[in-house]
């Protein structure tokens, strides 16, 4: 049996069809396959594309001509690329079928743009990259979670000859340091999050400064409004198997700390394996939706996918503008309760709801799905769960009949899939 997959072609923008064998690991539903063809980050009036361009321009302004732009790559990558090459432990939760879409036992829909690190590094075609792509994770459904989102990843390599890094640092200071009104709090490294022993302290310092100054400058540029008091940022220690040390950067926005990106010094083992043992480098990754929602004031992640003129017509290339909400149509919710199999996973339920809605031609009518009650029978110890599904359209008022029909479809699928009784 074959799974047919359409893939965008970089040069022609056309789709080409590739076949992947289906096996017992396959868990990519139709509703997700249809998303692989869209490429929101390449539509000029999409806030995601506008933000992407801003970020590219920033890096270009800092170091002109250094960062090769990579886009349009197929979302199907091997398990080796998505996990093994990045030193992600075999038992890491991100490998589980409840978190990741498996095309088959050898391929997944990339869960992050880091999946392209090993092949880009091995190609040795540039010393810097900015990769933008759609990424896929099985997840809950609410205003900030969608199973497809977009990431951007940056990589910068330096030859381990210190002059190269020093030159880059001097250029950087000229271009960005002091340009932005920001106030940054540092963090001290501790525990396992230490520098790699193969790197000299001068190498470590220079690479870290280069990385941090680029990111501080970038977010200063994106978030700072004229005449405002200094923008607060803080570095937090983090863990990523592919970088060491690792950090997250947080920015204070409207009184809350917002995590804006993860980053670190690339594990030397990754550089060695890709034929770059004479290099040292940094990498960062950020989620475009999370940042765009804040900068453009977009309250619900589903809106990025909306084709409604009232949304689409609001944005112009190269301009960050605030979204003006249009009137919301009323929501309605319905509950479904059932006895669960011990193997049942909440993410399976969320995915099933999306699939049924897609079959009804109504995927984006599901606004949120939440677990509202778990009950364990005192005698039989059987567990029952109650989920609340909230339905709403951005485009019209839903009729009772259409919601009923969709909800019945969901109940029927619960019985078919898990062979359980609806309570
Ligand atoms: N891939 C990481 C994520 O998806 C982000 C990251 C990229 C972190 C590169 C460090 C370096 O969360």
């Amino acid at each position: 049996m074959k799974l047919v997959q359409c893939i965008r072609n970089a040069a022609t923008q056309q789709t080409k069809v590739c076949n992947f064998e289906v096996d017992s690991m396959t868990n990519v539903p139709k509703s997700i396959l249809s998303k692989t063809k869209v490429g929101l980050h390449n539509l000029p009036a999409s806030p995601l594309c506008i933000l992407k361009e801003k970020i590219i321009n920033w890096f270009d302004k800092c170091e002109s001509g250094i960062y090769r732009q990579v886009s349009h790559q197929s979302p199907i990558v091997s398990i080796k690329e998505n996990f093994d090459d990045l030193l992600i432990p075999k038992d890491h939760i991100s490998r589980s079928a409840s978190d990741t879409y498996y095309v088959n036992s050898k391929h997944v829909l990339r869960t992050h743009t880091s999946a392209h690190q090993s092949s880009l590094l091995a190609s040795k075609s540039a010393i810097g990259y900015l990769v933008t792509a759609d990424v896929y994770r099985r997840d809950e459904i609410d205003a900030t979670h969608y199973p497809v989102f977009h990431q951007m990843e940056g990589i910068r390599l330096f030859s381990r000859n210190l002059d190269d890094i020093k030159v880059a640092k001097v250029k950087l200071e000229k271009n960005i340091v002091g340009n932005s009104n920001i106030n940054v709090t540092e963090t001290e490294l501790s525990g396992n999050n230490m520098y790699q022993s193969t790197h000299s302290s001068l190498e470590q310092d220079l690479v870290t400064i280069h990385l941090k100054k680029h990111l501080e400058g970038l977010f200063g540029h994106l978030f700072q409004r004229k005449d405002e008091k200094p923008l607060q940022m803080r570095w937090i220690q983090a863990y990523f198997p592919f970088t060491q040390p690792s950090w997250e950067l947080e920015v204070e926005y409207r009184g809350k700390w917002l995590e804006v990106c993860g980053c670190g010094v690339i594990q030397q083992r990754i550089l060695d394996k890709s034929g770059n043992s004479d290099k040292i480098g940094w990498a960062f990754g950020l989620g475009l939706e999370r940042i765009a929602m804040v900068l453009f004031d977009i309250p619900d992640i589903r809106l990025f996918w909306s084709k409604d003129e009232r949304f689409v017509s609001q944005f112009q290339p190269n301009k960050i503008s605030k979204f003006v909400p249009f009137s919301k149509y009323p929501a309605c919710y319905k509950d479904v309760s059932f006895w669960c199999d011990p193997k049942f996973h909440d993410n399976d339920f969320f995915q099933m709801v999306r699939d049924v809605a897609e079959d009804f031609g109504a995927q984006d009518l599901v606004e949120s799905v939440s677990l509202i009650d778990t009950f364990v029978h005192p005698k039989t110890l059987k567990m029952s769960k109650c989920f609340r599904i909230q339905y709403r359209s951005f485009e019209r008022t839903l009729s009772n009949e259409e919601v009923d029909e969709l909800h019945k479809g969901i109940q029927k699928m619960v019985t078919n899939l898990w062979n359980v009784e609806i309570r």
Side-chain angles (χ1 to χ4, degrees):
M1 240 237 284
K2 298 256 169 123
L3 172 75
V4 178
Q5 170 66 43
C6 292
I7 293 167
R8 294 183 300 279
N9 179 294
T12 61
Q13 279 281 4
Q14 285 173 346
T15 52
K16 103 183 163 199
V17 178
C18 294
N19 294 319
F20 283 84
E21 296 287 338
V22 178
D23 62 25
S24 60
M25 283 296 281
T26 306
N27 67 352
V28 190
K30 268 196 310 201
S31 58
I32 295 298
L33 278 184
S34 64
K35 300 286 186 210
T36 63
K37 292 173 229 157
V38 182
L40 284 182
H41 56 293
N42 294 317
L43 304 179
S46 163
L48 300 176
C49 186
I50 299 170
L51 177 58
K52 174 190 88 171
E53 293 295 337
K54 283 247 170 217
I55 299 173
I56 291 173
N57 290 343
W58 168 257
F59 278 91
D60 210 42
K61 191 178 136 212
C62 295
E63 292 189 289
S64 160
I66 293 284
Y67 297 89
R68 190 186 135 204
Q69 272 185 66
V70 185
S71 188
H72 295 292
Q73 303 212 11
S74 160
I76 299 185
V77 296
S78 66
I79 284 171
K80 183 173 173 297
E81 290 168 299
N82 200 78
F83 299 119
D84 302 340
D85 287 350
L86 292 160
L87 313 176
I88 296 178
K90 289 276 185 235
D91 57 355
H92 197 273
I93 174 80
S94 63
R95 292 190 187 238
S96 77
S98 57
D99 281 42
T100 293
Y101 291 109
Y102 279 83
V103 173
N104 56 35
S105 46
K106 296 210 172 63
H107 296 92
V108 294
L109 293 183
R110 69 182 150 228
T111 62
H112 52 177
T113 36
S114 307
H116 299 295
Q117 253 187 42
S118 57
S119 60
L120 285 171
L121 291 172
S123 76
K124 294 194 179 185
S125 55
I127 54 166
Y129 299 94
L130 289 171
V131 187
T132 315
D134 36 344
V135 302
Y136 297 78
R137 291 186 197 171
R138 301 188 76 200
D139 218 332
E140 53 202 285
I141 304 180
D142 63 26
T144 54
H145 292 90
Y146 204 75
V148 191
F149 60 102
H150 297 78
Q151 280 190 335
M152 191 158 190
E153 174 140 339
I155 300 176
R156 175 70 159 97
L157 302 180
F158 306 92
S159 69
R160 290 188 73 176
N161 148 7
L162 285 178
D163 288 345
D164 188 22
I165 316 185
K166 280 187 194 150
V167 170
K169 186 175 167 249
V170 172
K171 270 200 203 150
L172 166 90
E173 278 163 356
K174 267 207 224 132
N175 282 342
I176 47 178
V177 175
N179 281 2
S180 233
N181 184 18
I182 54 178
N183 187 359
V184 185
T185 310
E186 274 295 337
T187 180
E188 256 187 50
L189 296 178
S190 64
N192 291 331
N193 198 32
M194 289 298 181
Y195 281 105
Q196 297 170 50
S197 53
T198 52
H199 296 153
S200 73
S201 59
L202 197 55
E203 281 178 319
Q204 296 159 3
D205 287 352
L206 291 176
V207 171
T208 304
I209 289 177
H210 196 269
L211 166 67
K212 288 189 168 177
K213 290 294 168 218
H214 266 87
L215 293 174
E216 290 165 5
L218 168 67
F219 289 103
H221 169 69
L222 291 176
F223 280 83
Q224 187 70 54
R225 297 284 151 264
K226 282 192 194 93
D227 312 323
E228 274 181 24
K229 45 183 199 322
L231 185 68
Q232 303 296 321
M233 290 186 194
R234 64 180 186 194
W235 288 102
I236 307 281
Q237 296 204 61
Y239 165 74
F240 302 105
F242 30 96
T243 50
Q244 191 190 327
S246 306
W247 297 273
E248 272 162 5
L249 180 59
E250 295 187 342
V251 173
E252 194 188 359
Y253 191 77
R254 295 187 180 152
K256 277 199 192 139
W257 287 106
L258 180 75
E259 182 212 310
V260 287
C261 79
C263 62
V265 179
I266 301 175
Q267 285 283 6
Q268 200 59 36
R269 268 199 290 163
I270 295 182
L271 292 175
D272 292 349
K273 268 203 197 156
S274 60
N276 289 286
S277 40
D278 56 334
K279 300 270 189 329
I280 178 171
W282 56 245
F284 76 83
L286 55 83
L288 289 174
E289 274 85 347
R290 173 193 284 252
I291 300 168
M293 285 177 83
V294 172
L295 293 178
F296 292 80
D297 256 351
I298 295 176
D300 190 309
I301 197 166
R302 287 178 303 160
L303 278 164
F304 291 108
W305 298 86
S306 172
K307 295 190 184 99
D308 190 320
E309 264 304 300
R310 292 174 304 169
F311 180 77
V312 182
S313 63
Q314 288 197 25
F315 306 103
Q316 293 93 45
N318 299 321
K319 191 163 169 236
I320 293 187
S321 50
K322 295 289 178 198
F323 167 63
V324 183
F326 36 83
S327 62
K328 265 194 166 188
Y329 292 98
C332 87
Y333 67 81
K334 289 184 186 287
D335 296 344
V336 48
S337 316
F338 50 91
W339 296 107
C340 301
D341 195 77
K343 279 196 229 123
F344 175 85
H345 194 292
D346 293 355
N347 278 354
D348 295 335
F349 183 79
F350 301 143
Q351 186 58 58
M352 179 277 290
V353 173
R354 287 184 196 281
D355 291 345
V356 174
E358 170 91 0
D359 281 345
F360 278 74
Q363 194 192 10
D364 287 343
L365 299 190
V366 177
E367 182 165 81
S368 63
V369 182
S370 43
L371 177 65
I372 55 167
D373 190 33
T374 303
F375 165 76
V376 179
H377 191 283
K379 286 207 180 113
T380 62
L381 296 180
K382 271 171 66 177
M383 187 167 66
S384 136
K385 289 191 170 184
C386 178
F387 291 93
R388 174 157 297 173
I389 306 177
Q390 176 136 311
Y391 301 94
R392 191 202 305 267
S393 163
F394 284 117
E395 277 134 34
R396 65 204 154 82
T397 302
L398 298 174
S399 74
N400 223 343
E401 291 77 43
E402 105 185 278
V403 175
D404 255 2
E405 205 188 328
L406 179 53
H407 195 72
K408 279 197 190 117
I410 289 170
Q411 286 176 320
K412 203 166 142 208
M413 196 54 97
V414 170
T415 345
N416 287 353
L417 279 181
W418 296 294
N419 199 15
V420 291
E421 247 178 77
I422 303 279
R423 288 183 66 209

